[in-house]
Amino acid sequence: MMLHTESDVVFVKGLKVEAVIGVYEWERAITQPLLIDIALETDISKAAASDAVNDALNYKAVCDDVSAWCKEIKAELLEHLAGQIADGLLANYACQKVTLSVAKPTAIQQADVVGVQITRHAKAAEKKITDNEPVDSKSTDA
């Protein structure tokens, strides 16, 4: 995967998550596979200079959080799930922009995969999160 951006990117390709997703009654009773690609535009210059993990955006934590959110949200629509994931990433990680796709490989028998891709910017997400409950429970009141 080669992303054409004007900034640094930390990415995850093909994160596999089993979650409740779908609008039909039978879909609400099972889990289905999701494939998630994530691109977080962030400044990696500090980590590049220091070679210290504490200066890097932790992609393991990103994968753990996204997997947990998918399981907790139990969305009907991929569009809703993608929006919630993007909001959570922007609220919890040092990134200016998130592009992600959420795909449902078993949804349409005749297609390899169907899904949605969204891009969200930090400023838009900050406004939305103040209007709605954020997806993350790790935030603390200062």
Side-chain angles (χ1 to χ4, degrees):
M1 164 167 43
M2 180 62 77
L3 303 167
H4 299 283
T5 66
E6 294 181 9
S7 62
D8 303 334
V9 175
V10 172
F11 68 89
V12 175
K13 176 93 172 131
L15 178 64
K16 295 168 185 67
V17 180
E18 288 282 331
V20 173
I21 185 81
V23 297
Y24 300 111
E25 190 175 323
W26 65 268
E27 289 181 299
R28 308 306 298 161
I30 63 168
T31 61
Q32 297 183 68
L34 298 172
L35 294 174
I36 302 169
D37 293 341
I38 305 162
L40 303 163
E41 292 193 24
T42 186
D43 182 359
I44 68 167
S45 59
K46 188 173 180 183
S50 71
D51 199 26
V53 69
N54 290 340
D55 292 333
L57 193 151
N58 186 333
Y59 51 79
K60 165 103 170 61
V62 167
C63 291
D64 290 346
D65 281 347
V66 170
S67 295
W69 295 334
C70 287
K71 292 172 185 178
E72 291 167 11
I73 293 167
K74 297 181 178 158
E76 291 188 5
L77 299 178
L78 292 174
E79 292 85 347
H80 177 74
L81 181 60
Q84 292 293 300
I85 292 169
D87 287 349
L89 291 170
L90 289 167
N92 290 289
Y93 293 93
C95 58
Q96 297 77 46
K97 182 173 148 184
V98 173
T99 299
L100 67 95
S101 66
V102 182
K104 207 169 157 184
T106 58
I108 304 294
Q109 187 176 4
Q110 302 87 344
D112 288 340
V113 67
V114 296
V116 299
Q117 177 178 306
I118 66 170
T119 300
R120 298 292 183 266
H121 299 267
K123 291 184 190 224
E126 287 170 13
K127 180 183 184 310
K128 186 172 187 178
I129 285 176
T130 56
D131 295 341
N132 298 313
E133 187 73 20
V135 292
D136 182 50
S137 58
K138 290 188 287 189
S139 58
T140 57
D141 294 334

